[in-house]
Amino acid sequence: MFDSPVVTISIIFIVCMGVFLYCYHTGVVHDKFKKEGIRTEAKILSKEKIGASGTGNTRFRMVVEFTTKNETITVTTKRYFTPEDLIKIMRDNTVVLYYLPQDPQQILLMPSEME
């Protein structure tokens, strides 16, 4: 039953649709933060290496602190960083991020926008 070409093609189609939907959702989230979010620079309070990819990127768990109009927010997040991004954030121990004004706990780190 599993060696049928119809089953194989169906599985390939389902996997491709899953990848497409994941990429689409990621783009929608990115666009939402860029459109509705507020850009700010956050201080890195702590960082812990928790993994690496096969391409040389390093995954960190970071605690960042930034100020909104009303308060100071501390958030823990996880993200892969390229070696170039790590050089930028280690220079001043800060990172550029976008946060949603209605929920400042939701952030999108954007080290690629740093100088």
Side-chain angles (χ1 to χ4, degrees), residues 10-113:
S10 298
I11 291 172
I12 291 171
F13 178 76
I14 290 170
V15 169
C16 288
M17 284 304 297
V19 169
F20 173 77
L21 291 174
Y22 176 77
C23 291
Y24 178 78
H25 173 48
T26 302
V28 168
V29 169
H30 182 270
D31 291 345
K32 178 181 178 181
F33 273 96
K34 294 287 274 192
K35 181 180 177 185
E36 299 174 14
I38 297 173
R39 184 179 193 268
T40 189
E41 193 165 324
K43 180 179 177 184
I44 299 171
L45 300 178
S46 71
K47 58 188 170 294
E48 174 188 5
K49 180 180 176 181
I50 57 173
S53 71
T55 60
N57 297 336
T58 307
R59 185 168 173 95
F60 282 92
R61 178 183 300 121
M62 302 178 108
V63 178
V64 297
E65 180 180 75
F66 61 96
T67 304
T68 65
K69 293 180 182 178
N70 304 326
E71 60 187 324
T72 300
I73 306 290
T74 304
V75 179
T76 301
T77 187
K78 297 176 188 175
R79 188 180 196 287
Y80 280 101
F81 291 97
T82 65
E84 293 83 13
D85 291 342
L86 283 175
I87 290 170
K88 292 175 186 177
I89 66 172
M90 298 304 173
R91 189 176 305 140
D92 296 323
N93 209 33
T94 60
V95 65
V96 171
L97 61 81
Y98 287 86
Y99 69 91
L100 297 176
Q102 62 272 21
D103 185 8
Q105 293 292 322
Q106 292 187 21
I107 62 170
L108 175 66
L109 297 178
M110 295 297 293
S112 57
E113 292 188 4

